[in-house]
Structures are given as C-alpha cells and as structure tokens.
Amino acid sequence: NAGVTQTPKFRVLKTGQSMTLLCAQDMNHEYMYWYRQDPGMGLRLIHYSVGEGTTAKGEVPDGYNVSRLKKQNFLLGLESAAPSQTSVYFCASSFTGIEQYFGPGTRLTVT
Amino acid sequence: AQSVTQPDIHITVSEGASLELRCNYSYGATPYLFWYVQSPGQGLQLLLKYFSGDTLVQGIKGFEAEFKRSQSSFNLRKPSVHWSDAAEYFCAVGGGETGNQFYFGTGTSLTVIP
C-alpha cells in the first residue's frame, strides 16, 4: 500500500512550456485534490475531484487544468508555464471528503 | 468567506517545555477543524481533527487541541516537546458545510532547542 504518490518529484520548466503532474492513490479514495504551497501562504487548493470523471475549481485554478479519467489518478496540467507557478505542489486524497492523505510533493521551478 | 489565521510565524521552545500553537478561524457555522504537521521536504501528516462533541481532542504524538467556539479558536498543545517535534504546523478548516474545499493557515514553524 503506497498511499499517495506523485510524479515527478522535481521539475524545471522554461516559461511557456507545458507539463503534467501525476498523482496516484491506491486507497480507493473518491476525493482527490491538488494544492500549491508557497512561502508564507500555506496551502491553497487549485482543483479537486469528488469522483472519477469529475473535477471542480478550487481557490486558485487559473493557469491549471485537471483530469480524473481513472479513479486512482488525478492529473494536473500546466499548458503554458509562468514563473508565478514556481511552487511546491501537493496532491491529497480522501475517502470521506474530510480527512486528507497527502503525497510527498513535487517541486516545480519555472525559469 | 472561510479563513484560517495562525498568528505566530515562528516559535522556539526548549526541549521538555510545553507548547501552544494558536489557530483562529472565520466561518459561519461549526466547521471541521484540523491540525497537520509537515517535516522538511515531506508531505503533510494529520495530527488531529475536530468534528463535533468533546471540545478537547487527542491526536497522535502526544498532541491535543481544544475547540473554543466563543473565541473561534482551535489551539494545538503539547505538555512536553521533543526535539523530533521541530516542524511546520498547519491549521485547516474544511469539509462539512464548506463543501469540498479546505482552507489552510499560513503555518507556524517550530524550532526546538536542547
């Protein structure tokens, strides 16, 4: 039981490039979330999903897209990366939509 | 709008001393409240949660928190801090009537000195 895993762990992008972050969970959780963590700002919710095939916007969705084609995976996409998207990205999942289990994070730098 | 405030950015305590980390929230009803801990380079781990009932909740690693509705607070406490408690601590509100969204405080960094 690996819990919540995130791929990749680190990535450097140039402005304008695109990439996809993968979150996978093996706990059969319905709910999944993407957060970004910036110094002095805590975690902010980007997008979330309440089940396979569903997605919804969180607090800071602009510049990101997500997909939940399979229950165990939640993908976060950046179509045209900007330096303001330099951050640490955390994925989380939840069975009840209340208690969340977090992945180890992806550190993204956009130059 | 929901919000969470952690007024202390950084706290330093001596090993063996007691600890209290403050958290205040803004919400129209009784929310679900959480404390998470984050060690350097790691994800967040749930310490404890409050949904309803007894306002003093016990968590892992010897931590406890008390919900005070009149003060809109959910402070985290530990009677005797260990060096391994040095980490970043986040208070959060979410679930329940906030829908599926969660709101985190900006975190309190704890340093433990021997």
Side-chain angles (χ1 to χ4, degrees), chain A residues 24-36:
Chain A
Q25 52 94 6
D26 60 2
M27 298 175 282
N28 201 34
H29 286 173
E30 290 292 339
Y31 299 80
M32 296 187 75
Y33 312 81
W34 275 108
Y35 292 90
R36 60 178 289 173

Side-chain angles (χ1 to χ4, degrees), chain B residues 21-90:
Chain B
L21 302 182
R22 296 183 290 164
C23 173
N24 293 95
Y25 65 91
S26 172
Y27 188 65
T30 301
Y32 295 165
L33 295 159
F34 309 85
W35 274 100
Y36 287 87
V37 61
Q38 183 182 32
S39 298
Q42 304 295 315
L44 278 71
Q45 181 184 20
L46 180 66
L47 280 176
L48 47 77
K49 59 187 182 290
Y50 172 79
F51 296 159
S52 64
D54 192 349
T55 56
L56 184 64
V57 294
Q58 303 296 321
I60 62 172
K61 305 185 181 188
F63 285 93
E64 66 178 26
E66 186 172 13
F67 169 63
K68 293 186 177 180
R69 184 192 304 273
S70 62
Q71 298 176 20
S72 296
S73 69
F74 188 57
N75 294 350
L76 182 71
R77 301 195 293 248
K78 187 169 185 178
S80 178
V81 171
H82 189 262
W83 64 267
S84 61
D85 293 324
E88 188 95 15
Y89 291 82
F90 293 93

Side-chain angles (χ1 to χ4, degrees), chain A residues 31 37 90 97-100, chain B residues 38 49 51 90 100 102 106:
Chain A
Y31 299 80
Q37 182 180 32
F90 286 99
I98 300 174
E99 295 185 36
Q100 297 179 83
Chain B
Q38 183 182 32
K49 59 187 182 290
F51 296 159
F90 293 93
N100 297 301
F102 290 81
T106 52

